[in-house]
Amino acid sequence: MGGLIDLRYLVLQKEHFGAFIEHLNLISKVVAPVRKDQKTNQFSFEEVSQAEEIALNYIPTILPPKKYFMPQYETLAEYDASRGQNMQPVVEVEKLILFGVHTCDLAGIQCLNVVFNDRPKDINYLIRKGYITLIGLECNNYCDSFASCGLMGTFLPQGGYDLFFTDLNDYFMVHIATQKGEELIKNFQFFTDPAPKHFKDLQHLREKKQDTFEPEVPIDRNLIPKMFAEGFEAKVWEEIGNRCLSCANCTNVCPTCYCFDVMDVPNLDLKTGKRIRVWDSCQNEPFAKIASGESFRALRSDRKRHRFNRKFSYPVKRYNKFFCTGCGRCSRTCMAKIDLKETITQLAQETGYLHTKEGKVWTSS
């Protein structure tokens, strides 16, 4: 069975899915993908109480589940200056179950885990992470044309979850990955042991996906960091820089962007207040400005180049990981219609790394 047979797999019939969501709600708050509007194809992670609210087939949500691990606005400390420099640390936590996380977003959370575990460790992030239970949901098909999960290799599950659901028509194949996941289902009576047929179905789906999710840009993924190094002065950066509006939509919706600012917010008495952390963006001109007024990346072209290198080059050197997960959110939300796949294709053309496809063999053009 290709190594799929594992005692940590169980089967849940679709008819019992509603009861399972009710079971989760008895344990803690449940968050899942929900369609924002029946007329639009937009989704968001929101609190749910029943299965009917959950969108099992959805394109990546407007904001990634990163918002639960690293909130847009987060209190780090509270202070009272009336009694000297009295500041008390704060960790805002909430126990929740995050259901329906696609593999691209699981990959994004894994990137954040690496960053915030790096020295100096981010205690607030790590404590909050411990309160969240992750239940993944497999994409059986492409979500839309903006995705590049084939290029980034994120279309199959690669860990980072407690439970993982795969929709196989009238039932779910469920992989139990952690003790937390085991605890979550131990008192739910409707899970059954898988039969050989269930493993065959799962293997068939995964084999089909291997053929479907091919690299969306014809380049060798292993050579991407080298391509970015050689393309530092490529014309594509100026071209997309001229189009960029510096709105920072791309970084706000990215599942791996983690830049933030810290500021003190006083109350009206001007003696008490709080220190907060807020999302920031390398696409904002003041981001790289120093005290003398100089900016290291005053040009939009420099900022666009920096952002792409922060996904495909710099983290590979430091963490041996790409920080693009192929979710397509940046292209989907860009008001200037800057498309990630088109940008990489143009860079590959300029640097000579683009290939043509003949059958299933990549050959130099």
Side-chain angles (χ1 to χ4, degrees):
M1 297 299 171
L4 286 175
I5 292 183
D6 192 317
L7 295 176
R8 294 176 295 171
Y9 279 95
L10 291 174
V11 169
L12 178 66
Q13 297 296 326
K14 287 277 187 72
E15 61 191 86
H16 301 307
F17 180 62
F20 177 67
I21 298 301
E22 292 176 8
H23 168 75
L24 296 183
N25 269 285
L26 294 175
I27 299 173
S28 78
K29 174 180 175 180
V30 179
V31 170
V34 173
R35 183 182 287 274
K36 292 294 291 181
D37 189 322
Q38 292 300 324
K39 297 179 181 179
T40 62
N41 202 28
Q42 292 187 326
F43 302 83
S44 68
F45 280 101
E46 297 178 6
E47 184 175 0
V48 298
S49 58
Q50 52 190 3
E52 290 74 16
E53 301 173 64
I54 300 174
L56 292 175
N57 294 304
Y58 71 97
I59 67 169
T61 52
I62 301 168
L63 288 179
K66 174 183 74 174
K67 65 182 182 180
Y68 297 105
F69 292 82
M70 182 187 174
Q72 293 162 283
Y73 299 91
E74 173 189 7
T75 301
L76 299 178
E78 296 175 342
Y79 66 84
D80 185 350
S82 63
R83 293 177 293 174
Q85 294 186 357
N86 182 23
M87 183 172 284
Q88 297 297 322
V90 173
V91 181
E92 298 177 329
V93 297
E94 179 182 25
K95 184 179 180 183
L96 63 85
I97 297 170
L98 195 48
F99 177 87
V101 184
H102 283 167
T103 50
C104 58
D105 280 336
L106 289 170
I109 294 169
Q110 288 177 303
C111 289
L112 296 180
N113 291 345
V114 169
V115 169
F116 289 118
N117 262 298
D118 199 1
R119 295 182 180 181
K121 294 189 176 185
D122 193 296
I123 300 302
N124 287 62
Y125 176 91
L126 296 176
I127 292 176
R128 183 179 298 103
K129 174 178 173 288
Y131 281 79
I132 301 175
T133 301
L134 272 172
I135 302 180
L137 177 65
E138 186 152 7
C139 296
N140 292 5
N141 299 289
Y142 266 108
C143 52
D144 63 16
S145 61
F146 292 110
S148 57
C149 45
L151 176 64
M152 303 318 301
T154 56
F155 58 90
L156 290 175
Q158 298 176 40
Y161 52 82
D162 300 295
L163 295 175
F164 191 80
F165 276 55
T166 301
D167 188 338
L168 293 170
N169 297 320
D170 57 346
Y171 71 92
F172 292 103
M173 192 73 151
V174 183
H175 182 228
I176 308 165
T178 67
Q179 185 175 346
K180 188 187 289 187
E182 218 169 280
E183 292 290 321
L184 201 63
I185 65 171
K186 71 176 183 180
N187 294 321
F188 188 69
Q189 59 181 333
F190 294 111
F191 283 103
T192 58
D193 291 328
K197 172 192 179 299
H198 299 124
F199 287 107
K200 283 185 178 179
D201 289 346
L202 181 59
Q203 182 171 327
H204 176 72
L205 171 67
R206 299 274 169 85
E207 289 174 349
K208 179 182 175 183
K209 288 177 65 175
Q210 289 282 7
D211 292 332
T212 303
F213 289 81
E214 295 185 336
E216 296 81 7
V217 180
I219 54 177
D220 185 340
R221 185 166 65 231
N222 296 320
L223 298 178
I224 289 178
K226 186 178 179 183
M227 179 182 75
F228 271 83
E230 295 179 11
F232 196 79
E233 300 295 340
K235 294 179 181 178
V236 64
W237 308 126
E238 184 177 354
E239 290 182 18
I240 64 173
N242 289 335
R243 294 161 55 193
C244 178
L245 302 174
S246 289
C247 65
N249 272 1
C250 55
T251 53
N252 284 334
V253 301
C254 179
T256 68
C257 280
Y258 56 88
C259 291
F260 59 84
D261 195 3
V262 175
M263 59 185 70
D264 288 345
V265 181
N267 295 325
L268 291 176
D269 60 11
L270 300 182
K271 295 179 180 179
T272 61
K274 57 186 178 181
R275 178 165 292 173
I276 66 171
R277 166 159 62 186
V278 299
W279 288 2
D280 204 350
S281 172
C282 63
Q283 297 307 288
N284 296 328
E285 193 273 332
F287 185 86
K289 185 176 286 186
I290 57 177
S292 65
E294 298 292 331
S295 175
F296 291 109
R297 289 187 291 275
L299 299 178
R300 293 179 183 180
S301 57
D302 292 341
R303 299 200 291 275
K304 295 308 293 181
R305 177 177 61 194
H306 176 75
R307 169 174 153 70
F308 273 82
N309 274 277
R310 288 288 293 163
K311 302 300 150 185
F312 298 100
S313 178
Y314 305 151
V316 178
K317 296 175 184 176
R318 184 172 180 88
Y319 301 117
N320 198 32
K321 287 176 70 71
F322 289 112
F323 269 45
C324 174
T325 70
C327 69
R329 284 186 177 92
C330 57
S331 304
R332 203 175 287 114
T333 195
C334 180
M335 294 191 292
K337 306 300 182 185
I338 297 172
D339 186 277
L340 179 139
K341 290 188 291 185
E342 291 176 1
T343 302
I344 294 177
T345 300
Q346 188 172 341
L347 179 64
Q349 288 174 332
E350 288 193 57
T351 54
Y353 283 88
L354 192 68
H355 296 73
T356 58
K357 185 181 175 186
E358 298 176 0
K360 290 193 176 182
V361 180
W362 299 106
T363 58
S364 297
S365 56

